[in-house]
Amino acid sequence: MIRALLFDMDGVLADSEGISLDIGIAYFASIGVHADRTSFSSAIGCGERTFFDKTASLLGLSGPPYCYDDASAFFRKEYTERIKNLSISLPGAGIVRAAHERGILTALCSSAPEWKVFANIEAAGLERSDFDFIATGKDIKRNKPEKDIYALALIALGVDASEAVVFEDAAGGIESGKRAGCRVVSMETTIGKEEAERAGADAVIKDLSSIPSFHDSGELESFLFAKSLPPKRYGAVMIKPCGKGCSENILIEEARKAWEHGYAPYSGFRVGAALVSAATGRIYSGCNVENSSYGATICAERNAITTAVANEGAVGIDTIVVYSDDDPPAPPCAVCLQVLSEFSSPDTSVVLVTPNTEPVRYKFSQLLPMPFIFPTMR
């Protein structure tokens, strides 16, 4: 049951992302550096310091003429001026009051500075009293995509993560909500559906106005998450998908941790793997374990699969990450592909990663287009 709604501000309740980006571009122009909106894409929603510092780094600036304090002062002056007498409410922002009236707790969880959050609340036509709790960048040490701001809100409201829904619009924010253990609904105001789902969003809507009027939390729950997904064939088994999202970054991190534990004294080639169960959304990981008798060696992918089966029985694999230090990233071996085929659909995502490269993504059918499935199990 939903007991609390946790809202990001920019791009969810307030149409302010564009203003922030334009000011960021203007600041870098003021020090003679060209930037455009794509320069800030990986820093959106992660706080003002990250917004400027990360973008400066991507632009090749490690010092003067760039200075964060100057950028922050420039931003506050420009933003305060531009937002005067401006309505920046996004469609559907009234859901905050509607939820409050229906006994659902509400919190505002924004990485932005406190002055900006309060200015945006007013410019969006809301009141501070519309929220049971407000957290801003000053309240946390670690900003999004870390879980801290949403974990803080859960503690303040006294609700369990399973009882809260996060509304976000950026990959970093989605990951933050997922790390806190909440279900996350993404708006398409900043990123598209595919990127939101890759970040782990459990549901994607155009904006808050997509949510119809609701009388209680049950009706809201049904609209956001009620899914009647039919059973789906994963290799030799039929599994009913739960439809839960999982952040690719979280999955990569679990595979990396497993990689660190790889036992490979003979080859020196460690591998880690982590997969998502289609039925439960749970993550299972494994590493390679070599043996003096090479034939007894267990690959990371098979280790993760057997762990999943030991916990759930027949399993369907939604996504699997394979982490190694090979270059280019190493794919599963032929034996692992055959084992994977027992529990994978043609569109199961296989993500290959190394410490120094961007993820490379394949559909399982691209790696093994004609898997062998025992005739009676097809």
Side-chain angles (χ1 to χ4, degrees), residues 12-287:
V12 175
L13 298 173
D15 188 11
S16 51
E17 296 283 23
I19 299 172
S20 298
L21 290 169
D22 288 344
I23 295 173
I25 292 169
Y27 165 73
F28 283 108
S30 74
I31 60 172
V33 178
H34 172 73
D36 57 29
R37 291 197 170 199
T38 61
S39 305
F40 298 86
S41 59
S42 63
I44 293 174
C46 297
E48 184 184 85
R49 179 127 211 166
T50 300
F51 183 77
F52 281 110
D53 280 0
K54 188 170 185 178
T55 303
S57 177
L58 291 172
L59 293 171
L61 301 172
S62 57
Y66 170 72
C67 170
Y68 168 69
D69 290 338
D70 292 344
S72 180
F74 181 97
F75 185 89
R76 182 167 185 170
K77 178 177 180 297
E78 288 291 321
Y79 193 89
T80 303
E81 186 63 34
R82 295 191 191 198
I83 207 173
K84 282 181 181 177
N85 304 316
L86 184 66
S87 174
I88 59 172
S89 177
L90 277 170
I95 188 179
V96 177
R97 286 180 178 148
H100 219 196
E101 291 168 359
R102 288 156 178 76
I104 301 173
L105 298 170
T106 59
L108 181 60
C109 304
S110 172
S111 302
E114 185 178 68
W115 68 264
K116 185 186 178 197
V117 172
F118 290 161
N120 280 351
I121 289 175
E122 183 178 348
L126 296 167
E127 304 282 345
R128 297 185 199 180
S129 59
D130 291 327
F131 300 95
D132 295 287
F133 179 70
I134 296 175
T136 70
K138 78 174 182 61
D139 299 310
I140 51 173
K141 291 292 186 183
R142 299 187 306 171
N143 227 316
K144 301 173 184 179
E146 298 296 339
K147 68 180 181 180
D148 300 27
I149 197 164
Y150 287 117
L152 177 62
L154 293 173
I155 293 170
L157 296 176
V159 300
D160 188 78
S162 64
E163 301 171 314
V165 176
V166 167
F167 291 91
E168 270 286 354
D169 71 306
I174 294 169
E175 186 174 340
S176 176
K178 295 299 291 185
R179 286 182 183 275
C182 302
R183 288 175 293 179
V184 180
V185 177
S186 176
M187 315 294 102
E188 291 188 272
T189 50
T190 303
I191 60 175
K193 187 174 188 292
E194 184 175 331
E195 185 178 353
E197 290 177 341
R198 186 180 302 141
D202 297 284
V204 181
I205 58 178
K206 181 181 178 183
D207 55 43
L208 292 173
S209 69
S210 302
I211 300 174
S213 297
F214 54 94
H215 293 94
D216 53 38
S217 63
E219 286 190 7
L220 179 60
E221 173 113 26
S222 294
F223 173 78
L224 293 174
F225 303 113
K227 296 179 179 179
S228 182
L229 297 177
K232 177 179 176 180
R233 180 164 291 283
Y234 289 84
V237 298
M238 293 293 290
I239 299 291
K240 186 176 176 62
C242 67
K244 290 183 180 178
C246 175
S247 166
E248 185 178 276
N249 287 342
I250 294 175
L251 196 59
I252 289 173
E253 177 62 14
E254 292 302 311
R256 185 195 65 77
K257 290 177 182 176
W259 169 74
E260 288 184 338
H261 295 150
Y263 177 75
Y266 307 104
S267 70
F269 183 64
R270 291 179 296 164
V271 181
L275 62 84
V276 180
S277 164
T280 64
R282 294 175 186 154
I283 296 174
Y284 299 99
S285 61
C287 64

